[in-house]
Amino acid sequence: MENIHSVLENIYNKFTHFEDKGQQATYIPELANVNENLFGISLTTLNQEQVNLGDAQQKFSVQSISKVLLLIMAYNIEGEKIWKRVDVEPSGAAFNSMILLELEKGIPRNPFINAGAIVIADILLSHYKNPENEFISFVRRLTNDTSIDFDLKVYASEKSVGYRNYALINMMKSFGNITNLIDEVMDFYFKICSLSMSCAQLSKTFLFFANDGVDPFTNEVVLTPSRNRRINAIMLLCGFYDEAGEFAYRVGLPGKSGVGGGILAILPNKYAVVVFSPKLNEKGNSYRGMAFLECLTTELSDSVF
Ligand code: GLU
């Protein structure tokens, strides 16, 4: 731990002076109001030690990182049946791309592109009267923090300009891959994307992925070991949209990014790490976050390979 702590601190200090060539997401207007210089790191180890640096306690819009939690809920209810409606292949396309969706008859490539997460939201809506409440209760239980909530400003802001996501759901509905009302599915989808959490909360919450699906703090089985491995595999192949190959090559860990500037990564049997830095590269992943994680796993010689 001493070693990880000092390595993290050294890299963190180096990256506070980093020339960040990224651009903050502005397509969701509310995200443009976030201070683009924020920079936080949190790493939690399996023996329950946590290192927090910089703006690690600052809450931010987790955006697509939420899609992982959404998937866990649906997978635990329906099991392998969900893969009839969404695939597990890397998309090689942008997070909000329409192109493959028509060619592949409304079946999204994976649950981490927008179309895939919208199908997962539809599945949960078929099981729950109030899926938002179920989702937030699930997250609060995992984080052991009842203050966790959606950011309703971000939710309303994204909804007001969600044209592309509405286009995706309409395309899928035309192929019969959406069963509920479009507005209800989209409201739920935009809500889960607006989830607001800090690096410190996220690195603790997602630690079960490094522990065969068992929350080391509470011993709760969040996922069976087999499902845990499978979602780790999907994160490795699909967690970074059309930059998943680059992330696997440079960082070597399964993970998930969000357009709010957060990146989560897992080293099985060791730790969960979360970086937050709002400026994004052209693929929609945190520019400084990617570089930071590459440097971290290189210095520690950490990789799943
Ligand atoms: N809410 C975002 C959208 O639908 C999620 C995208 C992301 O974080 O990659 O555009």
Side-chain angles (χ1 to χ4, degrees), residues 1-304:
M1 191 64 191
E2 260 316 297
N3 181 36
I4 293 191
H5 199 139
S6 61
V7 171
L8 267 173
E9 215 156 53
N10 284 341
I11 307 175
Y12 182 83
N13 290 336
K14 193 162 102 193
F15 276 86
T16 49
H17 307 294
F18 176 74
E19 192 196 347
D20 193 339
K21 298 196 184 119
Q23 292 282 327
Q24 193 164 18
T26 52
Y27 78 99
I28 299 173
E30 192 60 27
L31 292 185
N33 296 330
V34 175
N35 174 356
E36 63 178 23
N37 298 316
L38 290 169
F39 182 33
I41 309 291
S42 178
L43 185 147
T44 309
T45 61
L46 270 200
N47 51 2
Q48 307 182 12
E49 290 183 73
Q50 190 172 61
V51 183
N52 292 316
L53 295 166
D55 301 303
Q57 308 292 348
Q58 169 73 44
K59 288 196 179 178
F60 62 93
S61 191
V62 313
Q63 292 295 321
S64 275
I65 299 174
S66 250
K67 292 173 181 171
V68 183
L69 298 166
L70 195 71
L71 174 64
I72 293 170
M73 287 179 73
Y75 198 16
N76 278 343
I77 294 175
E78 290 211 343
E80 304 305 315
K81 214 172 110 193
I82 61 173
W83 308 124
K84 288 198 178 110
R85 293 183 56 192
V86 55
D87 215 333
V88 292
E89 294 297 335
S91 70
F95 62 92
N96 54 8
S97 174
M98 287 282 289
I99 295 171
L100 293 167
L101 205 52
E102 179 167 23
L103 291 173
E104 296 177 355
K105 303 199 171 8
I107 304 291
R109 276 281 170 114
N110 66 67
F112 296 152
I113 49 173
N114 289 6
I118 290 169
V119 167
I120 300 293
D122 183 55
I123 290 173
L124 286 173
L125 204 62
S126 299
H127 287 278
Y128 295 122
K129 244 203 201 113
N130 193 333
E132 291 163 27
N133 280 358
E134 299 289 341
F135 179 83
I136 207 69
S137 307
F138 174 59
V139 180
R140 286 175 181 164
R141 196 177 76 234
L142 281 184
T143 52
N144 192 24
D145 185 341
T146 49
S147 75
I148 304 276
D149 220 335
F150 303 117
D151 181 332
L152 295 181
K153 269 193 178 166
V154 172
Y155 157 76
S157 177
E158 180 166 17
K159 187 177 165 169
S160 72
V161 293
Y163 312 112
R164 197 172 256 271
N165 285 322
Y166 282 106
L168 294 172
I169 196 170
N170 276 288
M171 177 69 79
M172 293 191 285
K173 184 99 181 163
S174 77
F175 282 108
N177 198 19
I178 293 292
T179 52
N180 294 284
L181 292 175
I182 282 177
D183 282 337
E184 289 184 11
V185 181
M186 291 318 294
D187 277 1
F188 179 39
Y189 171 77
F190 292 135
K191 277 267 167 70
I192 68 108
C193 288
S194 78
L195 183 70
S196 180
M197 286 175 72
S198 68
C199 294
Q201 289 170 329
L202 287 164
S203 76
K204 181 174 168 275
T205 301
F206 280 92
L207 192 57
F208 65 85
F209 270 123
N211 193 38
D212 281 338
V214 178
D215 181 338
F217 295 93
T218 60
N219 289 326
E220 175 180 347
V221 178
V222 183
L223 284 164
T224 63
S226 159
R227 287 181 181 173
N228 192 63
R229 283 193 292 274
R230 288 182 167 186
I231 298 188
N232 267 309
I234 303 171
M235 285 198 285
L236 184 75
L237 294 170
C238 314
F240 297 85
Y241 314 115
D242 43 344
E243 208 172 29
E246 184 88 6
F247 192 81
Y249 178 79
R250 283 170 49 188
V251 180
L253 302 178
K256 184 74 202 85
S257 63
V259 294
I263 301 182
L264 150 80
I266 307 292
L267 180 61
N269 304 316
K270 287 261 172 62
Y271 60 72
V273 59
V274 176
V275 186
F276 165 54
S277 180
K279 288 163 92 178
L280 310 178
N281 63 23
E282 68 287 354
K283 308 283 189 182
N285 299 315
S286 171
Y287 188 93
R288 178 159 51 178
M290 290 274 287
F292 177 91
L293 289 171
E294 177 179 8
C295 190
L296 178 73
T297 54
T298 305
E299 293 217 2
L300 292 173
S301 304
D302 285 341
S303 168
V304 291

